Amino acid sequence: MVRIRVLVVDDHRIFAESLAAALAAEPDVDVSAAGSGPAALRCLERAVAEGRRFDVVLVDADLGAAAGTVPAQREPGSGSGPPPAPDGIALVAGVRVTHPGVRAVVLAERDDPRRAAQALQAGASGWVAKDCSLSRLLAVIRGVLREETHLPPALLTGVLRELTAARKHRTDSERLVESLTPREHEVLRCMVAGLGRKDVAARLFLSPHTVRTHMQNVLGKLGVHSTLAAVALARRAGVRPADLAGDVVERSGQLA
């Protein structure tokens, strides 16, 4: 019998334990539970090291919210301190990057087309109500392992609308980013990485005054009025942050 290894990630302990116990009663399902995003990632890494990878993670959409541990996302360069605790959708995105073979299903208290669309964009294979039947949840678990995507029928129209709108926003953002010069694009990547003007100047071997000019040009071409708005637009367009560890910027007579 092929066994399915499931990781339940939910900081509501009673719910997580009840769900894990119900799933564990199935003869072909092995279940573990984690109470936070970091704990889930540690559990996934430990399983890989021990040669017993998970197949599916079931993630609470509002992970951390009950304990008040999900602050608004801190913008790059806005200060020191630990990063915000991931909510469920952010955790899904992280899992799909670090463990691409693991399928993710989001468990939600309520139907929300916008959040469900965000979950799919993050790499989730399903969105399921927390109060659904065990048989329904098992059908979704087995379905996503067959490369299926599962959404409640009532959400389908709203999710498609959200995904279409998101694609339009991304396309518009990509078009604006394409208007930047190569140097302005590199400055934007540094902004996405959270670097301030002086750090950008040092990295690109430019004067702070020249960087200031480039930043002003970037804001103007993107049609925004702040660095935070420029970074948000760049992220929608898929702009990657400058690799602060690996990128090497060479001097050139054409850099400025």
PDB file of all heavy atoms in Angstrom, residues 146-160:
ATOM      1  N   ARG A 146      -2.670  13.811  -7.875  1.00  0.00           N
ATOM      2  CA  ARG A 146      -2.829  13.478  -9.299  1.00  0.00           C
ATOM      3  C   ARG A 146      -2.706  14.726 -10.153  1.00  0.00           C
ATOM      4  O   ARG A 146      -3.153  14.753 -11.302  1.00  0.00           O
ATOM      5  CB  ARG A 146      -4.188  12.805  -9.540  1.00  0.00           C
ATOM      6  CG  ARG A 146      -4.370  11.461  -8.829  1.00  0.00           C
ATOM      7  CD  ARG A 146      -5.613  10.738  -9.343  1.00  0.00           C
ATOM      8  NE  ARG A 146      -6.830  11.503  -9.045  1.00  0.00           N
ATOM      9  CZ  ARG A 146      -7.574  11.337  -7.958  1.00  0.00           C
ATOM     10  NH1 ARG A 146      -7.208  10.439  -7.031  1.00  0.00           N
ATOM     11  NH2 ARG A 146      -8.665  12.055  -7.779  1.00  0.00           N
ATOM     12  N   GLU A 147      -2.141  15.777  -9.574  1.00  0.00           N
ATOM     13  CA  GLU A 147      -1.922  17.053 -10.272  1.00  0.00           C
ATOM     14  C   GLU A 147      -3.221  17.809 -10.533  1.00  0.00           C
ATOM     15  O   GLU A 147      -3.280  18.668 -11.418  1.00  0.00           O
ATOM     16  CB  GLU A 147      -1.163  16.853 -11.598  1.00  0.00           C
ATOM     17  CG  GLU A 147       0.151  16.108 -11.462  1.00  0.00           C
ATOM     18  CD  GLU A 147       1.163  16.881 -10.614  1.00  0.00           C
ATOM     19  OE1 GLU A 147       1.083  18.107 -10.568  1.00  0.00           O
ATOM     20  OE2 GLU A 147       2.037  16.225 -10.012  1.00  0.00           O
ATOM     21  N   GLU A 148      -4.272  17.516  -9.778  1.00  0.00           N
ATOM     22  CA  GLU A 148      -5.526  18.242  -9.917  1.00  0.00           C
ATOM     23  C   GLU A 148      -5.506  19.503  -9.053  1.00  0.00           C
ATOM     24  O   GLU A 148      -4.781  19.581  -8.055  1.00  0.00           O
ATOM     25  CB  GLU A 148      -6.701  17.357  -9.499  1.00  0.00           C
ATOM     26  CG  GLU A 148      -6.869  16.100 -10.337  1.00  0.00           C
ATOM     27  CD  GLU A 148      -7.919  15.157  -9.776  1.00  0.00           C
ATOM     28  OE1 GLU A 148      -8.510  15.473  -8.719  1.00  0.00           O
ATOM     29  OE2 GLU A 148      -8.147  14.101 -10.391  1.00  0.00           O
ATOM     30  N   THR A 149      -6.311  20.490  -9.435  1.00  0.00           N
ATOM     31  CA  THR A 149      -6.510  21.691  -8.630  1.00  0.00           C
ATOM     32  C   THR A 149      -7.950  21.689  -8.139  1.00  0.00           C
ATOM     33  O   THR A 149      -8.879  21.477  -8.926  1.00  0.00           O
ATOM     34  CB  THR A 149      -6.257  22.966  -9.453  1.00  0.00           C
ATOM     35  OG1 THR A 149      -4.899  22.962  -9.902  1.00  0.00           O
ATOM     36  CG2 THR A 149      -6.496  24.218  -8.609  1.00  0.00           C
ATOM     37  N   HIS A 150      -8.133  21.904  -6.839  1.00  0.00           N
ATOM     38  CA  HIS A 150      -9.470  21.799  -6.250  1.00  0.00           C
ATOM     39  C   HIS A 150      -9.907  23.132  -5.646  1.00  0.00           C
ATOM     40  O   HIS A 150      -9.211  23.716  -4.819  1.00  0.00           O
ATOM     41  CB  HIS A 150      -9.494  20.716  -5.172  1.00  0.00           C
ATOM     42  CG  HIS A 150      -9.518  19.335  -5.732  1.00  0.00           C
ATOM     43  ND1 HIS A 150     -10.663  18.568  -5.786  1.00  0.00           N
ATOM     44  CD2 HIS A 150      -8.542  18.585  -6.289  1.00  0.00           C
ATOM     45  CE1 HIS A 150     -10.382  17.395  -6.339  1.00  0.00           C
ATOM     46  NE2 HIS A 150      -9.099  17.388  -6.654  1.00  0.00           N
ATOM     47  N   LEU A 151     -11.082  23.604  -6.085  1.00  0.00           N
ATOM     48  CA  LEU A 151     -11.722  24.798  -5.537  1.00  0.00           C
ATOM     49  C   LEU A 151     -13.198  24.501  -5.326  1.00  0.00           C
ATOM     50  O   LEU A 151     -13.798  23.763  -6.114  1.00  0.00           O
ATOM     51  CB  LEU A 151     -11.596  25.982  -6.503  1.00  0.00           C
ATOM     52  CG  LEU A 151     -10.253  26.684  -6.644  1.00  0.00           C
ATOM     53  CD1 LEU A 151     -10.331  27.688  -7.789  1.00  0.00           C
ATOM     54  CD2 LEU A 151      -9.887  27.395  -5.348  1.00  0.00           C
ATOM     55  N   PRO A 152     -13.814  25.095  -4.291  1.00  0.00           N
ATOM     56  CA  PRO A 152     -15.268  24.962  -4.159  1.00  0.00           C
ATOM     57  C   PRO A 152     -15.940  25.582  -5.383  1.00  0.00           C
ATOM     58  O   PRO A 152     -15.545  26.665  -5.835  1.00  0.00           O
ATOM     59  CB  PRO A 152     -15.583  25.770  -2.886  1.00  0.00           C
ATOM     60  CG  PRO A 152     -14.291  25.804  -2.129  1.00  0.00           C
ATOM     61  CD  PRO A 152     -13.219  25.846  -3.171  1.00  0.00           C
ATOM     62  N   PRO A 153     -16.939  24.933  -5.962  1.00  0.00           N
ATOM     63  CA  PRO A 153     -17.605  25.480  -7.150  1.00  0.00           C
ATOM     64  C   PRO A 153     -18.086  26.915  -6.967  1.00  0.00           C
ATOM     65  O   PRO A 153     -18.031  27.716  -7.911  1.00  0.00           O
ATOM     66  CB  PRO A 153     -18.783  24.516  -7.357  1.00  0.00           C
ATOM     67  CG  PRO A 153     -18.320  23.228  -6.758  1.00  0.00           C
ATOM     68  CD  PRO A 153     -17.481  23.619  -5.573  1.00  0.00           C
ATOM     69  N   ALA A 154     -18.545  27.258  -5.768  1.00  0.00           N
ATOM     70  CA  ALA A 154     -19.059  28.607  -5.529  1.00  0.00           C
ATOM     71  C   ALA A 154     -17.971  29.666  -5.647  1.00  0.00           C
ATOM     72  O   ALA A 154     -18.269  30.853  -5.824  1.00  0.00           O
ATOM     73  CB  ALA A 154     -19.711  28.682  -4.146  1.00  0.00           C
ATOM     74  N   LEU A 155     -16.710  29.260  -5.534  1.00  0.00           N
ATOM     75  CA  LEU A 155     -15.602  30.215  -5.598  1.00  0.00           C
ATOM     76  C   LEU A 155     -15.040  30.380  -6.998  1.00  0.00           C
ATOM     77  O   LEU A 155     -14.301  31.333  -7.255  1.00  0.00           O
ATOM     78  CB  LEU A 155     -14.459  29.770  -4.677  1.00  0.00           C
ATOM     79  CG  LEU A 155     -14.500  30.174  -3.219  1.00  0.00           C
ATOM     80  CD1 LEU A 155     -13.241  29.682  -2.514  1.00  0.00           C
ATOM     81  CD2 LEU A 155     -14.607  31.680  -3.086  1.00  0.00           C
ATOM     82  N   LEU A 156     -15.370  29.474  -7.894  1.00  0.00           N
ATOM     83  CA  LEU A 156     -14.678  29.406  -9.170  1.00  0.00           C
ATOM     84  C   LEU A 156     -14.776  30.709  -9.968  1.00  0.00           C
ATOM     85  O   LEU A 156     -13.764  31.236 -10.443  1.00  0.00           O
ATOM     86  CB  LEU A 156     -15.229  28.242  -9.996  1.00  0.00           C
ATOM     87  CG  LEU A 156     -14.496  27.954 -11.306  1.00  0.00           C
ATOM     88  CD1 LEU A 156     -13.027  27.679 -11.046  1.00  0.00           C
ATOM     89  CD2 LEU A 156     -15.147  26.775 -12.019  1.00  0.00           C
ATOM     90  N   THR A 157     -15.984  31.250 -10.108  1.00  0.00           N
ATOM     91  CA  THR A 157     -16.151  32.471 -10.896  1.00  0.00           C
ATOM     92  C   THR A 157     -15.365  33.632 -10.289  1.00  0.00           C
ATOM     93  O   THR A 157     -14.666  34.369 -10.991  1.00  0.00           O
ATOM     94  CB  THR A 157     -17.635  32.848 -10.996  1.00  0.00           C
ATOM     95  OG1 THR A 157     -18.348  31.788 -11.653  1.00  0.00           O
ATOM     96  CG2 THR A 157     -17.812  34.140 -11.794  1.00  0.00           C
ATOM     97  N   GLY A 158     -15.463  33.787  -8.975  1.00  0.00           N
ATOM     98  CA  GLY A 158     -14.746  34.875  -8.318  1.00  0.00           C
ATOM     99  C   GLY A 158     -13.242  34.732  -8.424  1.00  0.00           C
ATOM    100  O   GLY A 158     -12.516  35.714  -8.630  1.00  0.00           O
ATOM    101  N   VAL A 159     -12.737  33.504  -8.299  1.00  0.00           N
ATOM    102  CA  VAL A 159     -11.293  33.271  -8.398  1.00  0.00           C
ATOM    103  C   VAL A 159     -10.806  33.570  -9.809  1.00  0.00           C
ATOM    104  O   VAL A 159      -9.753  34.210  -9.993  1.00  0.00           O
ATOM    105  CB  VAL A 159     -10.959  31.821  -7.994  1.00  0.00           C
ATOM    106  CG1 VAL A 159      -9.519  31.470  -8.379  1.00  0.00           C
ATOM    107  CG2 VAL A 159     -11.151  31.639  -6.500  1.00  0.00           C
ATOM    108  N   LEU A 160     -11.544  33.127 -10.814  1.00  0.00           N
ATOM    109  CA  LEU A 160     -11.151  33.421 -12.195  1.00  0.00           C
ATOM    110  C   LEU A 160     -11.126  34.927 -12.445  1.00  0.00           C
ATOM    111  O   LEU A 160     -10.238  35.440 -13.129  1.00  0.00           O
ATOM    112  CB  LEU A 160     -12.112  32.738 -13.170  1.00  0.00           C
ATOM    113  CG  LEU A 160     -12.019  31.210 -13.237  1.00  0.00           C
ATOM    114  CD1 LEU A 160     -13.100  30.652 -14.156  1.00  0.00           C
ATOM    115  CD2 LEU A 160     -10.636  30.780 -13.719  1.00  0.00           C
TER     116      LEU A 160
END
